[in-house]
């Protein structure tokens, strides 16, 4: 996995590599609003992710996800806060983002909490 200094660097690199859909977390789905696509937890895979903490405020934390979906033939970027500003959803989407694939690749205290 690559290392990036900023969230912008990570999203720019993902975009250059074909992750062009602008994804958003909407409760129990991850959506590509421009194409009216609503993915459930079984509809996508997390290909890669990058964790960032704010320079001036440790509560300003985010993870950038490179997400793909064979079902919808798309690759996109999802930026999601964690820590103080995290979505407190208990959906299958949140479980997949925070635990299923991501937590297996993070160490102890790096694991995001819901």
């Amino acid at each position: 996995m690559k290392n990036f200094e900023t969230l912008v660097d990570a999203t720019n690199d993902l975009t250059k590599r074909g992750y062009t859909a602008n994804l958003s977390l909407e409760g129990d789905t991850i959506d590509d609003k421009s194409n009216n696509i609503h993915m459930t937890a079984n509809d996508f895979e997390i290909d890669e992710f990058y964790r960032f903490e704010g320079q001036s405020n440790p509560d300003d934390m985010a993870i950038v996800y490179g997400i793909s979906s064979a079902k919808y033939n798309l690759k996109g970027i999802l930026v999601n806060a964690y820590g103080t500003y995290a979505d407190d959803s208990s959906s299958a989407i949140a479980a997949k983002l925070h635990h299923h694939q991501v937590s297996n690749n993070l160490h102890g205290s790096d694991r995001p909490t819901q």
Side-chain angles (χ1 to χ4, degrees), residues 10-56:
T11 57
N12 285 342
D13 183 70
L14 286 165
T15 300
K16 287 178 189 175
R17 293 186 289 122
Y19 290 86
T20 55
N22 183 13
L23 304 176
S24 59
L25 181 60
E26 302 293 336
D28 291 335
T29 61
I30 288 182
D31 297 351
D32 176 356
K33 292 180 182 179
S34 66
N35 292 306
N36 199 30
I37 293 173
H38 310 282
M39 296 183 286
T40 65
N42 294 326
D43 294 336
F44 70 90
E45 294 299 323
I46 299 168
D47 299 329
E48 52 194 277
F49 63 93
Y50 305 96
R51 178 180 175 264
F52 297 93
E53 290 186 13
Q55 293 287 335
S56 61

Side-chain angles (χ1 to χ4, degrees), residues 44-47 49 95-97 99-105:
F44 70 90
E45 294 299 323
I46 299 168
D47 299 329
F49 63 93
K96 186 169 189 172
L97 292 176
H99 300 289
H100 173 66
Q101 290 169 306
V102 174
S103 291
N104 291 337
N105 295 310

Side-chain angles (χ1 to χ4, degrees), residues 59-101:
D59 289 337
D60 182 20
M61 300 183 286
I63 296 180
V64 175
Y65 298 94
I67 291 177
S68 63
S69 173
K71 178 177 180 177
Y72 293 104
N73 192 31
L74 71 76
K75 290 171 66 174
I77 299 168
L78 172 69
V79 178
N80 193 30
Y82 69 97
T84 302
Y85 300 109
D87 175 5
D88 59 0
S89 172
S90 60
S91 71
I93 294 287
K96 186 169 189 172
L97 292 176
H98 293 292
H99 300 289
H100 173 66
Q101 290 169 306

